[in-house]
Amino acid sequence: MESIVRVKKSLRKPVRKLTSCVTGVKERRLCAKRRNKRGRGGRGRGGCERLRKTPPLQTAHAKDASVIRSYQADLEKERQLREAMNAQKNADRATMRAHFRRKYQLSENSKDSNHLRSVGRKVSLPHELSKIIHPETKTKDSGFNLLQAFQGLNFGTAALTGRKHSKTPTSILTTGTVVDGKVEGRKGAAKEGTGVRKRGVDGQVRSFEEIPHTGRSGWVNLVKFWREDRFRLLHKHMERTFNTLGPIYREHVGTQSSVNIMLPSDISELFLSEGLHPRRMTLQPWATHREIRQHSKGVFLKNGEEWRADRLLLNKEVMMSAAVKRFLPLLDVVSRDFSRMLRNRVECEGRGEEGRRSLTIDPSPDLFRFALEASSHVLYGERMGLFSSSPSLESQKFIWAVERMLATTPPLLYLPPRLLLRIGAPLWTQHATAWDHIFSHAEARIQRGYQRLSSSQGRGSEDGAAGGQYPGVLGQLMERGKLSLDLIKANITELMAGGVDTTAVPLQFALFELGRNTEVQESVRQQVRTSVAQAGGDLHKALQGAPLLKGTIKETLRLYPVGISVQRYPIRDIVLQNYHIPAGTMVQACLYPLGRSAEVFEDPQRFDPGRWGGQREEGQRGEGSGFRSLAFGFGARQCVGRRIAENEMQLLLMHILLSFRLSVPSSEDIKTKYTLILQPETPPRITFSKL
């Protein structure tokens, strides 16, 4: 209590001075004290009477000026506090607007960027709004709607695992974004941008040069790749390197340099920096072929605004739900015919009593024909008749050309194609010849489709095909007339070339895994039977009611991703695993090591389609869990043929499981090789037993 009294007494004089400063009126007590003093400007007893009138402010005591300055400083602080609060509110609102602009791929707003920059991009949203931008659970479909996931999160690998990588400079590392200022540990200053620097746990961001690497000389590494056959086993090389160097490393091979990552938290940060026009690695051999043959480029080889304009038009015909419902019946017809053909073959060539025969075969040739037939039906709107006893020579040449093109692409990625063209290298000649045959095949199909569409329009058909039948993607694009014929040809050719091996090979792996995991196979079959019975002929409903079927595809692609990496070039400086990554650096998300990592998946070697369903998927360990299944890529630049491929594989597996019990002569793991896509060294043999 005594201390309180002393404080009150000490405050009396400042309070009086402040009061007199503000009101301009002296207290009587103060005047009384002055009355008893002499030499105060001749003031006597009447001094206080004179002071009862409010004097001008300039007559105040000299010491009152400091009080005024103090009071004004307090007012300034309050003003600054109000401005900071308003700036914070504007930044919070700008964050929400920016979130929905990214979600719907709208252009950025400079005012919102200024609002965020004014507060250092530090926002504090209410819990309800924060959940919208930082969802606690994964979205149902990791397709185009991923833009709202993991925005602005600060990821760390500590949540994933406690294991330390001995050769990684920091055992627990953080991802983030670096701009606006200098990056510690790096010579010079980083480029200015719109992000916020996020430091590692030690308070410093390490330089790009400190990232672990496999060797500084690209040409020496290229020789090693050739000598050690790393191109064919690139997926294994990536897995070994991550085990040795940690979750991030640099690699320079020939003319290609990249930063390789594998953790979902890092991939989500890369996704946030891809911008409105995401860029992936350009397959220069493909681009060079288009240039020297004077073919137009499809969306696979385009970038920038030109890519975006074409891609948005294609999305309406191959990605949207309305488009899927149109081409789903075409895929189902081909799947039913394939299952019927296989049943006839088992009945004729199989062993056992009639009605319960079984046949062990290598199904890969039949699966390639199925993929080509299904793609042709959806893209061109016509069948090729590949399920006959004697398939056409044209189709066999096309399949050979696609396989040759895929096999010759990886080595050409690390060499200058135009130099190989000048010296007439056999590798380039094989690659160009394969593409020439692919284009000639597509040209003939497109010409037939154009003639068919023209004749139907001449007859006055409103639907562009006889009887209102769906004319295929080609017919739809021609009817709409928003893409030139050259661009239609370029995109249809790319879709056709990319739609054969990329579905036939995963189907081989799926049949093998179902064959050696009989309990899983039976669970999927029972769910499919129930769903088909309840769907009443509705294909979309039948597939939706069998999540294990889709889980089988996702699980197959987790263990055997078609493409073993997804590339992006960040548009701003970022930090991955506490290392500074400059804008424009090619960063590869390596899918094969990701899918088999114990840091990301429980029991990763086990084939378990159920891990992708419902609560189990939501409860998966680690941050960035929405970036664990990336076989079709992510964001706006994911595979344009994704919906065709997913439904094509699901429908075929559905009809096979309803007709056959699968088994395998050998349950040993399949040895794989890489030829731009991952495929088995020796196709697995599958036993089909009629149910």
Side-chain angles (χ1 to χ4, degrees), residues 271-284:
F271 163 70
L272 292 174
S273 67
E274 69 176 4
L276 188 62
H277 304 123
R279 286 178 56 215
R280 51 162 296 152
M281 181 179 70
T282 299
L283 297 182
Q284 199 55 49

Side-chain angles (χ1 to χ4, degrees), residues 629-650:
S629 178
L630 301 175
F632 293 103
F634 54 81
R637 193 134 200 180
Q638 63 183 288
C639 174
V640 69
R642 172 178 186 165
R643 302 304 180 200
I644 298 175
E646 284 180 331
N647 288 284
E648 182 180 328
M649 290 188 283
Q650 288 184 69

Side-chain angles (χ1 to χ4, degrees), residues 126-238:
H127 180 64
E128 293 77 8
L129 298 180
S130 181
K131 285 199 301 182
I132 296 175
I133 297 182
H134 313 303
E136 298 174 358
T137 59
K138 179 182 175 296
T139 54
K140 186 175 182 181
D141 187 0
S142 57
F144 271 94
N145 293 330
L146 277 174
L147 285 166
Q148 72 267 33
F150 316 108
Q151 176 185 347
L153 291 178
N154 187 11
F155 296 103
T157 57
L160 295 177
T161 178
R163 188 177 71 179
K164 297 182 179 180
H165 300 281
S166 58
K167 295 191 179 182
T168 304
T170 308
S171 59
I172 302 177
L173 304 169
T174 307
T175 61
T177 304
V178 173
V179 273
D180 294 336
K182 296 182 178 180
V183 178
E184 296 184 22
R186 181 178 181 234
K187 297 179 181 179
K191 296 180 180 179
E192 289 188 358
T194 58
V196 177
R197 183 193 307 171
K198 298 182 182 178
R199 302 173 183 269
V201 292
D202 59 356
Q204 292 185 344
V205 175
R206 303 183 186 278
S207 69
F208 180 79
E209 289 75 17
E210 292 181 88
I211 300 176
H213 58 83
T214 58
R216 298 189 182 277
S217 174
W219 300 110
V220 171
N221 286 341
L222 181 61
V223 172
K224 289 181 180 178
F225 267 62
W226 282 103
R227 188 175 60 207
E228 299 174 11
D229 201 18
R230 291 186 192 175
F231 287 118
R232 193 174 63 87
L233 299 173
L234 186 58
H235 55 299
K236 294 291 186 181
H237 163 73
M238 289 178 173

